[in-house]
Amino acid sequence: MYRLFLSLRYLRTRVVSYLAIGGMALGVMILVIVLSVMGGFQREFRERIRGIDSHLTVESLRFYGLRDAEALCREIEEVPDVVATAPYIENITLVRGVGPGSTKDFGFLRGIDPAREAAVGSFGEFLLSPRERERELLSRQRPPTLDDEEDLARFPAAVDPARAFEGGHTGFPPVLVGIEMFWEFGLEVGGLVRCLTSSDVERMKDSQEETFEVVGVFKTGIWDNDRRYLYAPLDVARRFIVGDTSRSSGVSVRIRDHGRVDEMKGRLNEALGLGLEGRYHLRCYTWKDRKKSLLQAVEMEKWLLSFILIFMVALMALNVLSILIMSVVEKTRDLGILRALGGTSGGVLSIFTAQGHFIGFFGATIGLGMGLAFTRYINEIADGIEALTGYHPFPKKIYYLDRIPTDLDLGEVAICVGVVILIGFLFSVPAAYKAARMDPVDALRYE
Amino acid sequence: MPSGTNKRATGGCEACNEPLLAARGVTRSYRVGGQPLSVLKGVDLELYPHEIVAIVGASGVGKSTLLHILGLLDRPTSGEVRVRGMDAAAMPEHQRSALRNRMIGFVFQFYHLLPDLDAVENVMLPLMVRHGYLGWRHRRGAVRERARELLSLVGLSRREGHRPGQLSGGERQRVAIARALVGDPAVVLCDEPTGNLDTGTKEEIHVLIRDLKERLGQSYVIATHDPHLTTLADRVESMTDGVLAPRPGPVGAER
Ligand SMILES: Nc1ncnc2c1ncn2[C@@H]1O[C@H](COP(=O)(O)OP(=O)(O)OP(=O)(O)O)[C@@H](O)[C@H]1O
Ligand SMILES: [Mg+2]
């Protein structure tokens, strides 16, 4: 009985034990915040990384692509949980700006039906309205001012993806260009680009050439996409790449639950008989298959961060250890007294392990509460900081995100809290052991 | 049994013939910088119910060492210590602890109260140690009551809620005495209980010990420098050069 009584009493009457609990709580709070913000970012980045890809694609490996894309689309849409499909054609191309001092580079010309493309992926969100485009270009030249916003007001703020290719003046077929290419090539809306492509490596001499008019700009936030891609209307691109309008490279597929792409890939393979008799040239890919290396990098980042967090946990452990050892040293005489009153060495040991439990338990609980509250109101807190200091800790411009994303994985949090409680338990053992080994006679001999 | 070494006060009780505590041929040596230092060199002592034995001797002669051995806090280098006839040396540590808790109360020169606990809590402590969580729940009230009683017996009924830091030396020693008695031990071992007190307070503690012995019936072993304290002893043992020899006390020895 005295063990519980004394460990609580020691805990309650020592400022250091409050500090230990506070330190523990702070550590847990930071763990929870970091994990949830990291989870949020990861979610956002995965979305980002997907970029212009749809959840799944069914592609043809043939030079000239597949013939009846619409029939395939209908077939795919029969599969349960498929939400939308869109045929596309894509080929590598050389791009050159028309005008003085313009550069050339390679890129990918992708032919799409804009309305259907918007339905299967994020095409609609990536399209910049004239106002967004001008703001973006302006901000690349100098820091924006309030006057700029007034100026920008004359540009339309909205854009309809279905009509993304409309509005040309020159009679050349329209094209949409990624913001990075637009900026580096020094292009302008209404300006021209010339593209060169060939669909057959054996007859590279027989390349096709076409001049396009730039009618709009898009921005995915992924440099590669924004630097390399051009969008043209599906039939324009078909004629340009293969010479007639019957061919497609493949079909983009959107599914109901993006978390189940791998499962859906299996279903599509089975339902369509992909790779089997008559379909041997068709393959199904998930966006993850296509962005494997980027995803691995994100995954790696998470591991690195976890690794760093381990050091923080180690810090907490040392915190517990040092405070309990101090406590043992301070309490040496008390321990001798308890032994004289009939306490066993195991008994005095448990006084200190119990303190470790309490520190771990209260620290973890309080920290969890604070961490959850902080995460819940993290954007309000960021806004508050901006209101106070004029500086926003999470500038929107840098991350292209309006809000700080958070995503709390309860399993991760449970592991964290469990580990912290375990630390309180384990790291009180050396101190308690020291307490138990002490010779009561030595402790009692002097004042 | 080494008869004749010690004279004892029977109190007219034949059942009291068995000694509560018996030390036989107890030696204790320390190792200091590789050199063995023999402190106790064969101590024999028997303590019978209802008696007060004083142990006197020069400083550093080994009185505290002997009390620690008698109280099962320390183990002799050789020789045996029997508690009610049971060989304590043969017992495992937890059993010695339990025996210490039930049989022995300690009073130290420096009081040795727990500074974080108030007077009643300090007095209750031996019983907290004795009982587990379950046993404690229904005993708590009774134990607190008993602790209060003892505090009023030692004259501190109004200082129950005070921490040791708020009490004088004499008052602290009274709390310590109450703590030694709360578990109803057979033996109270006092190591210079008045060593830190002024003459007036010493006298009060003497009276208190004699009084408590009469009322509650414990036996006492008191190590002391204080010649006055020996006057309340039934017999006085003098320690020289690591052995005990009876010394006829001026008062009370023949009681
Ligand atoms: N752990 C130890 N290591 C070495 N020597 C020790 C140890 N403990 C005690 N001693 C020695 O044993 C001797 C007896 O000590 P003890 O405290 O028993 O004497 P004492 O008679 O109680 O003295 P005092 O009257 O001053 O309290 C002393 O010389 C002391 O230095
Ligand atoms: Mg001493």
Side-chain angles (χ1 to χ4, degrees):
Chain A
M1 159 54 212
Y2 70 107
R3 289 165 288 210
L4 183 66
F5 176 76
L6 284 178
S7 53
L8 279 175
R9 179 61 60 91
Y10 287 162
L11 209 60
R12 233 179 49 204
T13 54
R14 291 293 172 283
V15 177
V16 281
S17 48
Y18 292 106
L19 291 179
I21 292 175
M24 209 74 166
L26 210 62
V28 173
M29 182 178 99
I30 292 171
L31 275 179
V32 169
I33 294 172
V34 167
L35 280 177
S36 69
V37 171
M38 191 169 70
F41 266 99
Q42 210 174 18
R43 191 192 58 211
E44 291 290 335
F45 278 128
R46 286 171 77 97
E47 282 294 298
R48 260 326 153 71
I49 285 169
R50 186 156 67 83
I52 62 171
D53 286 338
S54 56
H55 295 149
L56 293 149
T57 52
V58 177
E59 298 173 27
S60 168
L61 301 179
R62 281 186 182 143
F63 270 174
Y64 297 100
L66 60 101
R67 212 173 255 288
D68 195 356
E70 288 307 327
L72 185 61
C73 282
R74 281 192 296 278
E75 207 179 327
I76 293 172
E77 278 170 16
E78 306 260 289
V79 177
D81 291 332
V82 169
V83 177
T85 58
Y88 69 94
I89 186 163
E90 186 177 313
N91 203 24
I92 190 162
T93 170
L94 279 174
V95 190
R96 184 165 68 80
V98 178
S102 193
T103 31
K104 67 171 193 306
D105 205 342
F106 78 92
F108 299 94
L109 185 83
R110 189 175 167 93
I112 54 163
D113 174 333
R116 294 177 74 182
E117 184 75 6
V120 292
S122 308
F123 173 72
E125 287 119 65
F126 295 150
L127 268 183
L128 295 183
S129 70
R131 189 182 294 176
E132 287 166 334
R133 181 187 71 224
E134 291 304 316
R135 186 185 293 132
E136 175 80 31
L137 293 173
L138 209 60
S139 73
R140 289 178 181 225
Q141 296 164 50
R142 57 180 167 78
T145 65
L146 281 176
D147 289 347
D148 290 342
E149 273 309 310
E150 275 174 33
D151 233 22
L152 290 170
R154 67 197 159 90
F155 292 100
V159 59
D160 177 6
R163 304 174 60 181
F165 290 118
E166 293 175 15
H169 304 290
T170 58
F172 287 111
V175 77
L176 298 167
V177 182
I179 184 74
E180 300 295 342
M181 178 182 276
F182 190 82
W183 174 249
E184 276 183 38
F185 279 42
L187 300 174
E188 51 192 51
V189 173
L192 302 178
V193 290
R194 191 157 293 151
C195 293
L196 187 74
T197 193
S198 173
S199 46
D200 188 344
V201 274
E202 283 179 4
R203 294 185 292 124
M204 279 295 255
K205 294 198 298 284
D206 306 339
S207 56
Q208 304 86 270
E209 202 181 333
E210 180 75 85
T211 303
F212 294 90
E213 177 184 352
V214 178
V215 295
V217 178
F218 65 89
K219 177 182 172 184
T220 63
I222 301 282
W223 189 89
D224 252 16
N225 290 167
D226 294 343
R227 179 71 169 76
R228 298 281 178 218
Y229 271 85
L230 301 99
Y231 283 102
L234 187 56
D235 282 345
V236 170
R238 280 169 169 167
R239 263 193 298 271
F240 172 51
I241 294 169
V242 289
D244 66 64
T245 58
S246 67
R247 310 281 180 156
S248 302
S249 299
V251 173
S252 300
V253 182
R254 182 181 187 82
I255 56 172
R256 195 175 306 284
D257 179 0
H258 74 273
R260 290 166 53 194
V261 279
D262 294 315
E263 183 192 331
M264 286 302 288
K265 176 182 176 179
R267 266 205 236 169
L268 283 180
N269 270 328
E270 203 171 320
L272 303 177
L274 300 184
L276 301 178
E277 183 71 44
R279 285 270 163 88
Y280 69 91
H281 66 291
L282 289 180
R283 292 281 183 282
C284 180
Y285 297 105
T286 70
W287 68 271
K288 289 186 195 165
D289 296 334
R290 294 160 153 276
K291 297 288 161 65
K292 207 171 250 168
S293 58
L294 267 176
L295 279 175
Q296 274 168 353
V298 170
E299 210 49 45
M300 184 75 178
E301 207 171 29
K302 179 157 186 174
W303 275 111
L304 269 176
L305 201 53
S306 310
F307 187 67
I308 292 168
L309 287 179
I310 288 177
F311 285 103
M312 215 174 70
V313 170
L315 198 74
M316 292 195 262
L318 290 179
N319 177 22
V320 173
L321 187 63
S322 62
I323 280 173
L324 288 182
I325 285 191
M326 260 173 59
S327 182
V328 169
V329 170
E330 187 196 359
K331 291 281 163 246
T332 305
R333 201 172 53 100
D334 288 18
L335 299 180
I337 296 168
L338 287 169
R339 296 291 294 280
L341 300 182
T344 57
S345 56
V348 302
L349 180 146
S350 60
I351 291 176
F352 291 90
T353 45
Q355 280 187 68
H357 299 251
F358 285 125
I359 290 176
F361 180 77
F362 288 124
T365 317
I366 295 170
L368 182 64
M370 292 198 304
L372 291 177
F374 196 102
T375 314
R376 171 78 182 68
Y377 294 107
I378 191 165
N379 283 298
E380 285 77 356
I381 293 169
D383 292 344
I385 292 176
E386 188 184 23
L388 278 178
T389 64
Y391 162 78
H392 198 282
F394 186 82
K396 292 170 182 143
K397 247 179 44 203
I398 294 182
Y399 299 100
Y400 306 117
L401 294 172
D402 292 344
R403 311 255 71 191
I404 303 171
T406 57
D407 192 4
L408 205 59
D409 182 333
L410 284 180
E412 273 174 7
V413 169
I415 289 174
C416 264
V417 171
V419 164
V420 166
I421 291 177
L422 198 71
I423 281 175
F425 182 84
L426 286 182
F427 280 75
S428 58
V429 169
Y433 183 66
K434 187 177 156 69
R437 261 202 353 186
M438 168 219 62
D439 182 355
V441 173
D442 286 342
L444 288 169
R445 198 169 278 273
Y446 308 104
E447 174 147 46
Chain B
M1 185 174 291
S3 57
T5 9
N6 297 316
K7 191 146 47 118
R8 60 183 173 85
T10 58
C13 160
E14 277 312 309
C16 303
N17 274 336
E18 188 195 31
L20 294 170
L21 271 183
R24 214 174 330 152
V26 164
T27 71
R28 180 72 166 94
S29 52
Y30 294 101
R31 214 156 243 295
V32 183
Q35 296 292 314
L37 168 70
S38 250
V39 177
L40 302 181
K41 298 171 181 166
V43 170
D44 299 311
L45 178 70
E46 282 171 1
L47 180 70
Y48 291 91
H50 219 69
E51 71 170 345
I52 299 184
V53 174
I55 297 175
V56 294
S59 179
V61 79
K63 303 184 294 294
S64 301
T65 306
L66 177 61
L67 287 196
H68 292 145
I69 289 173
L70 290 177
L72 311 184
L73 268 177
D74 197 4
R75 286 176 189 266
T77 307
S78 69
E80 62 172 30
V81 175
R82 288 183 176 275
V83 180
R84 284 222 163 104
M86 295 175 284
D87 184 4
M91 294 179 185
E93 199 52 52
H94 70 93
Q95 216 170 323
R96 283 165 62 91
S97 291
L99 199 60
R100 189 186 316 132
N101 179 273
R102 289 183 183 276
M103 288 287 294
I104 290 157
F106 273 104
V107 176
F108 301 96
Q109 177 177 359
F110 300 110
Y111 328 123
H112 286 337
L113 301 174
L114 299 198
D116 296 298
L117 273 49
D118 66 26
V120 200
E121 288 165 342
N122 262 295
V123 174
M124 290 160 75
L125 206 52
L127 290 173
M128 288 194 199
V129 171
R130 185 175 304 175
H131 299 295
Y133 301 97
L134 297 178
W136 182 248
R137 289 176 71 103
H138 66 267
R139 284 198 181 87
R140 185 170 42 203
V143 169
R144 184 171 280 275
E145 215 26 67
R146 177 75 183 138
R148 287 221 176 93
E149 260 170 53
L150 279 165
L151 275 178
S152 73
L153 263 185
V154 299
L156 285 177
S157 49
R158 318 193 55 176
R159 314 298 297 270
E160 286 169 0
H162 290 219
R163 298 264 161 113
Q166 298 164 318
L167 299 171
S168 74
E171 287 161 346
R172 285 185 220 183
Q173 199 59 299
R174 286 162 188 269
V175 176
I177 290 171
R179 179 181 66 186
L181 294 171
V182 76
D184 205 13
V187 179
V188 180
L189 303 175
C190 306
D191 193 356
E192 306 195 28
T194 57
N196 253 22
L197 303 174
D198 64 67
T199 330
T201 320
K202 273 182 190 176
E203 186 53 40
E204 286 170 26
I205 298 286
H206 295 171
V207 172
L208 181 64
I209 289 178
R210 189 162 40 210
D211 207 39
L212 288 171
K213 180 217 156 189
E214 289 309 323
R215 284 196 196 210
L216 304 174
Q218 273 84 12
S219 293
Y220 287 75
V221 179
I222 305 176
T224 183
H225 288 301
D226 186 354
H228 192 62
L229 196 48
T230 60
T231 57
L232 67 100
D234 298 306
R235 58 199 166 90
V236 178
E237 298 276 343
S238 163
M239 186 179 265
T240 34
D241 197 23
V243 288
L244 279 180
R247 190 193 83 179
V251 191
E254 303 301 330
R255 201 165 48 158

